[in-house]
Amino acid sequence: MKAKFIIVLLALLTCGGVQDVSAQKWLKTLGSIADAVLGDESSSNSSSSSSSSRSSSKSRKSSSASSSAMKKINVTLTDAVRYGTQCVRVGFLMENTSTDNLNVILKATRATWGGNEYYPNATLVGNCGFDYLMSTDYEMLITYASHRIPAGAKVKGYFYFCGATDDVTYIDKIAFKAYFQSSSDNGYSFVGDNAVGEEIETKMLPGIAIKDYTPSNINDCYCTNPDVRLTVNSLQRSGTTVTLSYTITNTGKILNCFFDDWSAYDENGTAYNAPTAPVRGLDITMNSKLLWSSNILKFAPGASATFKLKITDVPQSVKSFSLIRIPFKVHGCYPSLPGTDNFAKPYIILRNVNITAAPGFQSTTRTTTTYRKKTTRR
């Protein structure tokens, strides 16, 4: 309609019959109206175009923010090792291959072995991360762990599964569901749970063999914490006291550990336990200092420390110990939350170790010789 109006106006302006002043004024007024109309139309079109552009941009940003980042996260299993009592720790690596900062929230992980499915007792993501115990009453509370992964970065994590008896040597497969979140503000903020329009997705991981406990320098002696290497130095007797000397080395990340109990069984089946009198501590010493169960020992990666455990009132007839067991507990990153040691229960284990005499120790048994003085009869 406006285009027709312009054509009519131009025809009138060029018409040779329109020469008088009044007609010229009328056409001039008509031209002003046309200019106003055209101006409004141009402004309207510009505004509409700008609005459409903003809407399209907003739509693209919204779509980008809510689109899954699943394909931008590579997940690979690194190892599976025994941890504590009938527990397996499965390590994984998440790599963000995109140019965006992303967020991952893990939920409902499952592992399959021996024809059965198992939920993780805990999931740990990142250097410290979140560490929650599972609920046996409500499936959705099985595990919850989240971590931001910057663009191009890699993040370590662990799944802890219980129920792996000694005959289980291979995990058939692992499947975990997660929200893989992108962000519209370069990763400065993410929705606490699932993002709007974000669907929970599943990644399937292949099977992996389970490594056994790392042995020490003596057969049948080891620590069931896979990040600790045990070295048995000696098991020596001095009178009725037998002293075990052992060294632990941290092969993993920063470790905060403590000892709060111990038990031992000799070759005859006699049991020995940590003293109940608190004034005596645990009868475990470090650098000649008696330890208490409240002592937290911090080890940097690669650090070592030597300890001595004294077992008293051991009869002289006892020549070996069939079992010495020392709970090895790790103080978690978040003391208020339950840690993996609550269900894995790692130990320092020594089996069938012979007792040797302490250097410089002399037996209390005396050998006497009786003789008669020879006399000469005259």
Side-chain angles (χ1 to χ4, degrees):
M1 178 180 178
K2 292 179 181 179
K4 292 180 180 179
F5 178 79
I6 295 171
I7 294 172
V8 172
L9 181 61
L10 290 174
L12 290 173
L13 288 173
T14 55
C15 180
V18 183
Q19 298 291 338
D20 62 302
V21 176
S22 60
Q24 290 179 6
K25 287 183 178 179
W26 178 79
L27 289 175
K28 194 173 184 179
T29 303
L30 192 60
S32 299
I33 295 173
D35 181 67
V37 171
L38 292 175
D40 288 345
E41 182 181 20
S42 175
S43 175
S44 174
N45 288 339
S46 175
S47 174
S48 175
S49 175
S50 175
S51 174
S52 175
S53 176
R54 285 196 301 269
S55 175
S56 176
S57 175
K58 185 176 181 181
S59 176
R60 285 195 302 270
K61 180 178 285 187
S62 175
S63 175
S64 174
S66 63
S67 64
S68 172
M70 178 182 185
K71 294 181 180 179
K72 303 174 184 178
I73 299 289
N74 287 339
V75 182
T76 54
L77 297 180
T78 56
D79 60 2
V81 295
R82 295 197 177 276
Y83 186 108
T85 305
Q86 292 191 4
C87 182
V88 173
R89 186 184 73 183
V90 180
F92 60 87
L93 190 67
M94 287 187 176
E95 180 181 8
N96 181 358
T97 61
S98 74
T99 57
D100 300 320
N101 298 324
L102 303 175
N103 190 45
V104 177
I105 298 179
L106 301 182
K107 289 179 176 288
T109 306
R110 299 186 184 190
T112 303
W113 67 77
N116 298 315
E117 285 189 332
Y118 297 85
Y119 298 111
N121 289 65
T123 302
L124 184 66
V125 183
N127 191 36
C128 206
F130 297 94
D131 195 353
Y132 284 66
L133 283 176
M134 78 171 188
S135 169
T136 57
D137 301 322
Y138 186 47
E139 181 174 324
M140 292 305 293
L141 294 180
I142 288 170
T143 183
Y144 182 98
S146 69
H147 198 84
R148 297 187 184 193
I149 309 179
K154 296 180 181 180
V155 174
K156 291 181 179 180
Y158 296 103
F159 297 126
Y160 296 86
F161 297 96
C162 283
T165 54
D166 293 341
D167 60 321
V168 177
T169 59
Y170 195 85
I171 295 178
D172 299 325
K173 63 182 178 180
I174 292 178
F176 68 87
K177 294 182 179 180
Y179 294 112
F180 298 87
Q181 298 182 350
S182 55
S183 172
S184 60
D185 56 4
N186 198 31
Y188 288 101
S189 63
F190 291 96
V191 179
D193 206 324
N194 57 305
V196 176
E198 197 79 55
E199 292 185 2
I200 193 168
E201 299 178 78
T202 301
K203 279 185 178 289
M204 300 296 295
L205 302 179
I208 188 170
I210 302 174
K211 297 179 183 177
D212 208 349
Y213 302 119
T214 303
S216 72
N217 58 320
I218 298 180
N219 292 336
D220 296 329
C221 298
Y222 50 85
C223 180
T224 64
N225 183 316
D227 296 326
V228 177
R229 186 174 68 248
L230 172 68
T231 301
V232 181
N233 302 318
S234 61
L235 184 64
Q236 297 178 338
R237 174 189 292 279
S238 180
T240 58
T241 298
V242 173
T243 301
L244 166 67
S245 174
Y246 63 93
T247 300
I248 59 173
T249 302
N250 177 18
T251 63
K253 61 184 181 181
I254 293 178
L255 188 66
N256 297 302
C257 67
F258 61 100
F259 305 107
D260 66 352
D261 197 7
W262 62 267
S263 58
Y265 304 85
D266 66 23
E267 59 189 5
N268 300 319
T270 303
Y272 306 80
N273 298 284
T276 56
V279 70
R280 299 187 61 191
L282 288 169
D283 270 353
I284 297 180
T285 59
M286 176 183 178
N287 298 329
S288 301
K289 179 182 178 181
L290 188 64
L291 296 181
W292 298 77
S293 59
S294 58
N295 291 140
I296 305 298
L297 310 169
K298 185 175 182 178
F299 293 91
S304 299
T306 298
F307 301 86
K308 291 185 177 181
L309 165 65
K310 289 186 177 181
I311 307 173
T312 58
D313 302 325
V314 181
Q316 292 282 351
S317 59
V318 174
K319 305 301 181 184
S320 66
F321 274 85
S322 59
L323 174 64
I324 299 176
R325 183 171 56 189
I326 306 171
F328 185 87
K329 298 187 177 180
V330 175
H331 196 269
C333 296
Y334 300 100
S336 60
L337 297 178
T340 55
D341 285 3
N342 287 23
F343 57 84
K345 295 180 174 58
Y347 287 91
I348 290 175
I349 300 290
L350 290 84
R351 297 183 185 277
N352 306 317
V353 181
N354 294 328
I355 302 171
T356 60
F361 174 72
Q362 296 180 353
S363 174
T364 57
T365 303
R366 293 182 179 179
T367 302
T368 58
T369 302
T370 304
Y371 65 95
R372 178 179 298 177
K373 185 178 180 180
K374 187 176 180 179
T375 57
T376 302
R377 180 179 295 179
R378 294 183 179 180

